[in-house]
């Protein structure tokens, strides 16, 4: 993560000075992990929630202080807050699904079979992580998907680093056991 975080830190620093290309580079570096984390929290609404988070990130970028690893943690905290807000709103007024929207979405230019396999494997992985107790699922998502270290994940969750490391360990152990059972059952 060292070179990755150095590249991200440099992009963020340039973005804070108004470099739009640098902001785009920071987005490209952070978005895949961030969207995986948010998808683990809110499911199919992840794109909308992440978009809301990025609006806040862009608005408050000038106030951010830190390096690349700190930026990943900062963005994860913002995304988590937007996800929790979204979940609270959903409880107040559940949203009906519109299957027509799924039908109207056209595939992009990439290989449809490869895209489908990637989506299935990502969806299955997030489904497995989502089956964990919430504390373990969030710890695994932050540590593995977003790539945060224990102290950074702890800051996002408002917990002690040891508690987050333990939750992530238990979650990963639980996933390993489930995968071993599924493999044995064949």
């Amino acid at each position: 993560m060292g070179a990755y975080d150095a590249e991200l830190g440099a992009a963020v620093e340039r973005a804070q000075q108004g470099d739009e290309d640098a902001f785009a580079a920071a987005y490209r570096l952070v978005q895949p992990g961030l969207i995986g984390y948010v998808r683990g929290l809110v499911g199919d609404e992840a794109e909308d929630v992440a978009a809301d988070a990025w609006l806040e990130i862009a608005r408050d970028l000038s106030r951010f202080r830190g390096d690349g690893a700190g930026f990943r943690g900062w963005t994860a905290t913002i995304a988590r807050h937007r996800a929790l807000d979204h979940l609270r709103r959903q409880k107040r007024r559940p949203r009906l699904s519109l299957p027509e929207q799924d039908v109207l979405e056209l595939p992009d230019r990439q290989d449809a079979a490869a895209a489908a396999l990637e989506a299935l494997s990502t969806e299955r992985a997030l489904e497995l992580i989502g089956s964990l107790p919430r504390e373990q699922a969030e710890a695994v998502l932050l540590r593995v998907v977003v790539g945060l270290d224990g102290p950074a994940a702890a800051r996002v969750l408002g917990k002690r680093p040891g508690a987050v490391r333990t939750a992530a360990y238990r979650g990963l152990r639980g996933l390993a056991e489930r995968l071993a059972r599924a493999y044995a059952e064949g």
Side-chain angles (χ1 to χ4, degrees):
M1 281 286 179
Y4 167 86
D5 282 337
E7 179 184 356
L8 178 57
V12 169
E13 191 174 312
R14 290 191 324 273
Q16 288 176 314
Q17 297 166 2
D19 185 336
E20 291 180 22
D21 291 335
F23 185 83
Y27 174 87
R28 281 190 303 275
L29 289 167
V30 172
Q31 178 65 358
L34 195 66
I35 197 72
Y37 173 56
V38 174
R39 186 169 284 122
L41 298 175
V42 301
D44 292 337
E45 304 291 324
E47 295 286 340
D48 292 338
V49 172
D52 288 344
W54 278 105
L55 288 172
E56 186 173 338
I57 291 163
R59 183 192 71 207
D60 296 342
L61 184 62
S62 64
R63 289 189 263 176
F64 170 75
R65 299 290 175 259
D67 59 5
F71 185 74
R72 284 187 292 119
W74 183 69
T75 59
T77 300
I78 291 170
R80 181 174 193 264
H81 290 171
R82 296 298 64 79
L84 295 176
D85 289 346
H86 174 78
L87 292 172
R88 280 191 288 272
R89 280 192 305 273
Q90 264 188 332
K91 283 183 182 177
R92 286 195 302 261
R93 57 185 156 96
R95 188 172 147 192
L96 298 175
S97 170
L98 298 175
E100 303 87 38
Q101 281 183 293
D102 294 336
V103 173
L104 294 175
E105 288 183 16
L106 298 175
D108 59 13
R109 294 183 181 179
Q110 65 178 301
D111 179 21
L117 287 174
E118 181 181 332
L120 285 174
S121 62
T122 300
E123 184 177 314
R124 179 66 180 134
L126 291 173
E127 191 177 293
L128 280 170
I129 293 169
S131 71
L132 295 170
R134 183 183 175 119
E135 182 177 295
Q136 292 176 14
E138 276 200 85
V140 168
L141 288 166
L142 286 170
R143 296 292 310 269
V144 177
V145 178
V146 179
L148 298 181
D149 62 13
R155 283 190 298 277
V156 171
L157 296 174
K159 298 183 180 288
R160 292 184 336 265
V164 173
R165 280 192 298 273
T166 300
Y169 171 79
R170 288 179 179 158
L172 290 171
R173 190 179 65 204
L175 289 173
E177 290 169 1
R178 289 174 191 185
L179 290 171
R181 272 196 308 271
Y183 182 74
E185 292 170 2

